[in-house]
Amino acid sequence: AFLFSMLIAGVIAGPAAPGVANADALLVADRPVLGEADAPVVIVEFSDYECTFCKSFFTERLPEIKREFIDTGKARLEFRDFPLSRHPRARPAAAAAACADRQQRFFDMHETLFANQGRFSDQQLRGFAAELGLDLAAYDACMQDPAIQAQIDEDLVAARQARISGTPAFLIGVQRGDRITGTFIIGFQPSTVFATEIREYYEQETEQTPGPMVE
């Protein structure tokens, strides 16, 4: 893989330098997916809704990745939450997105949250749910459901076990059984960094083994 040497240490609030970490793995989790479920390459994103570089990834990098790799069936993106402790409204925003996911509107809420970054009071989050046409009674009940907080905690544990300490962070790789193995990318990196890793894993997954020689 296109690797640089780096340390995942300290608090990373934006681009880390350099941006690609050694290969590692994450356990598979049932989380929102953008793209085809059987796409050969998996991109796992850890994000924080109050993180400005996470918003930059969403607005500047994801459209390119979606057009070239997700829409063409080469890769899928799986989203996980990593609300940083210094961002007090990132966790409620993550809960709002998870509750929208229960009504099959995760990515609509995801887009709305980044478009309204910094407007995450309880009333504003509920207003976004109303704008999206969600069942507000179900939304309200969901926001009080301990299972939603447990899901966010599971993502936080997974990130910390992977030695991720900031956002955005990504694992690009392939799924093998109950694990996704690949290369971590830390921070808001150039498009070429993402594209290089995705292409390499895609080529590894789709290369054909030559058949027997026939005379």
Side-chain angles (χ1 to χ4, degrees):
F2 182 69
L3 295 177
F4 301 95
S5 60
M6 74 163 290
L7 295 175
I8 305 179
V11 176
I12 304 168
V20 182
N22 292 328
D24 215 324
L26 292 169
L27 287 173
V28 170
D30 183 15
R31 296 294 184 269
V33 175
L34 183 64
E36 298 176 12
D38 60 352
V41 179
V42 187
I43 307 164
V44 180
E45 176 187 1
F46 286 90
S47 190
D48 171 313
Y49 286 110
E50 286 193 292
C51 161
T52 57
F53 290 107
C54 297
K55 178 179 179 178
S56 295
F57 171 80
F58 178 77
T59 58
E60 299 177 36
R61 297 289 182 267
L62 183 57
E64 300 175 23
I65 293 171
K66 184 175 183 294
R67 182 172 56 252
E68 184 173 356
F69 300 107
I70 296 175
D71 291 346
T72 56
K74 296 177 181 178
R76 68 182 187 268
L77 183 141
E78 298 184 1
F79 182 86
R80 303 196 192 185
D81 290 301
F82 191 16
L84 301 175
S85 59
R86 66 179 178 277
H87 291 160
R89 298 305 298 174
R91 189 176 182 111
C99 288
D101 186 41
R102 287 191 175 179
Q103 299 188 43
Q104 290 75 54
R105 299 295 298 276
F106 173 81
F107 284 104
D108 292 326
M109 181 63 85
H110 186 73
E111 180 177 1
T112 297
L113 291 170
F114 278 129
N116 293 276
Q117 194 172 63
R119 297 174 55 208
F120 294 161
S121 70
D122 291 343
Q123 184 177 3
Q124 287 168 326
L125 293 174
R126 194 175 190 272
F128 300 151
E131 291 171 10
L132 293 175
L134 301 187
D135 179 329
L136 291 182
Y139 170 86
D140 290 341
C142 178
M143 289 294 283
Q144 300 301 318
D145 187 347
I148 293 296
Q149 298 302 322
Q151 176 178 307
I152 296 170
D153 286 337
E154 288 174 6
D155 288 351
L156 286 167
V157 169
R160 288 163 181 158
Q161 288 177 341
R163 303 181 305 282
I164 296 170
S165 57
T167 56
F170 310 84
L171 177 67
I172 296 178
V174 296
Q175 184 173 334
R176 294 284 185 267
D178 65 349
R179 289 182 177 274
I180 300 169
T181 303
T183 302
F184 278 111
I185 294 177
I186 307 299
F188 177 58
Q189 300 298 333
S191 298
T192 52
V193 174
F194 293 97
T196 298
E197 294 298 328
I198 296 169
R199 290 193 188 104
E200 180 160 321
Y201 281 105
Y202 179 76
E203 290 168 3
Q204 290 176 8
E205 286 298 283
T206 58
E207 65 183 4
Q208 298 297 316
T209 302
M213 298 279 294
V214 178
E215 294 185 0

